[in-house]
Amino acid sequence: MFTINPLPQQLPPAIVDLLEQVETATVGHILHSGFIGGGIRAVLPEKRVAGTAVTLRIPGADSTLLHHVLSLVRPGDFLVIDRCGDTKHACWGGVVTNAAKLAGVKGGVIDGPATDFSEVRKCEMPLWCTGPSPITTKLLGLEGAFNVPVSVGGQTVEPGDAVLADESGVLILKPSEAEAIARRAIEMQEREVTLLERLRNGEKLPEISGATAKIEAANGKRAA
């Protein structure tokens, strides 16, 4: 059986533009949750993209629903694919790469492998997955679910969530918090530019960060 739910409301373009100024690692200084794990990494590390999560749950060797939804997705959507624990079959290859790119999909993240990385690079299609596999899914017409809550890399993702992905990983945010987190992260990145300039001018990192002062204070307390 196939479950096909309506597409979620997309993020405003201004929020997407703001998010794409943010490094996921900067948000890692702010949040401890929301990050996709499980060894999922970028095929194109130089790409940083943000978009609206449209979710897909497809089990085992069947990718029928993935092919179907490529006629439904919109420019600005970000495909988030739950493979239900399958680590053998690549559901995403060269044809899916081209179809997604032509549909305006911002990127894809898969809780499993992909294939045809050379085509992914040729199309410059931002993709995050667990690595390559030569064994592909088939059009078996068995089951799947579109736009339902999914689990990808240990992170729950709901349709309409904000997705930010770059060389360091993939971050999921609720639309209501995306702007505030993005603005805070951009401020941190701007402060980092100043910090790097101070280092170039001869200051030492532990003096700027306060690490040395904390160690001296802690050792002083023990001595007392």
Side-chain angles (χ1 to χ4, degrees):
M1 179 178 177
F2 294 94
T3 299
I4 302 176
N5 289 323
L7 289 160
Q9 181 177 347
Q10 288 189 303
L11 296 168
I15 300 300
V16 174
D17 291 343
L18 200 64
L19 284 169
E20 289 184 341
Q21 299 175 49
V22 174
E23 299 174 14
T24 59
T26 304
V27 182
H29 289 282
I30 303 169
L31 302 178
H32 292 278
S33 61
F35 297 92
I36 287 177
I40 293 173
R41 54 193 182 274
V43 178
L44 301 175
E46 69 276 11
K47 296 291 185 181
R48 183 195 303 157
V49 291
T52 302
V54 292
T55 63
L56 190 62
R57 188 167 64 232
I58 50 175
D62 186 16
S63 59
T64 307
L65 188 56
L66 173 56
H67 280 228
H68 174 70
V69 303
L70 286 169
S71 68
L72 305 178
V73 290
R74 308 154 297 188
D77 286 339
F78 200 117
L79 276 167
V80 180
I81 304 175
D82 181 349
R83 296 292 287 114
C84 304
D86 185 281
T87 60
K88 180 179 181 179
H89 299 92
C91 69
W92 188 301
V95 172
V96 169
T97 293
N98 280 273
K101 185 75 172 183
L102 291 168
V105 169
K106 293 295 290 288
V109 56
I110 309 166
D111 193 15
T115 194
D116 297 337
F117 282 15
S118 60
E119 192 68 18
V120 172
R121 296 186 183 98
K122 178 181 176 182
C123 292
E124 297 188 342
M125 181 71 216
L127 180 66
W128 287 256
C129 65
T130 58
S133 173
I135 307 170
T136 65
T137 52
K138 313 296 187 291
L139 297 184
L140 303 178
L142 299 176
E143 61 177 307
F146 183 53
N147 283 325
V148 296
V150 297
S151 178
V152 175
Q155 174 63 40
T156 299
V157 186
E158 296 185 358
D161 282 349
V163 185
L164 171 64
D166 63 11
E167 62 181 353
S168 297
V170 183
L171 170 66
I172 306 298
L173 296 168
K174 292 303 174 188
S176 59
E177 65 181 1
E179 180 176 2
I181 293 294
R183 292 193 182 281
R184 184 175 173 188
I186 290 168
E187 290 177 1
M188 291 180 67
Q189 289 171 185
E190 291 171 348
R191 290 198 298 271
E192 184 176 302
V193 173
T194 302
L195 184 151
L196 294 175
E197 183 63 27
R198 292 174 66 182
L199 288 174
R200 284 190 288 267
N201 289 334
E203 292 186 66
K204 301 300 182 183
L205 178 59
E207 297 169 357
I208 299 171
S209 69
T212 297
K214 287 180 181 296
I215 291 171
E216 291 174 347
N219 286 346
K221 289 178 182 179
R222 293 192 188 96

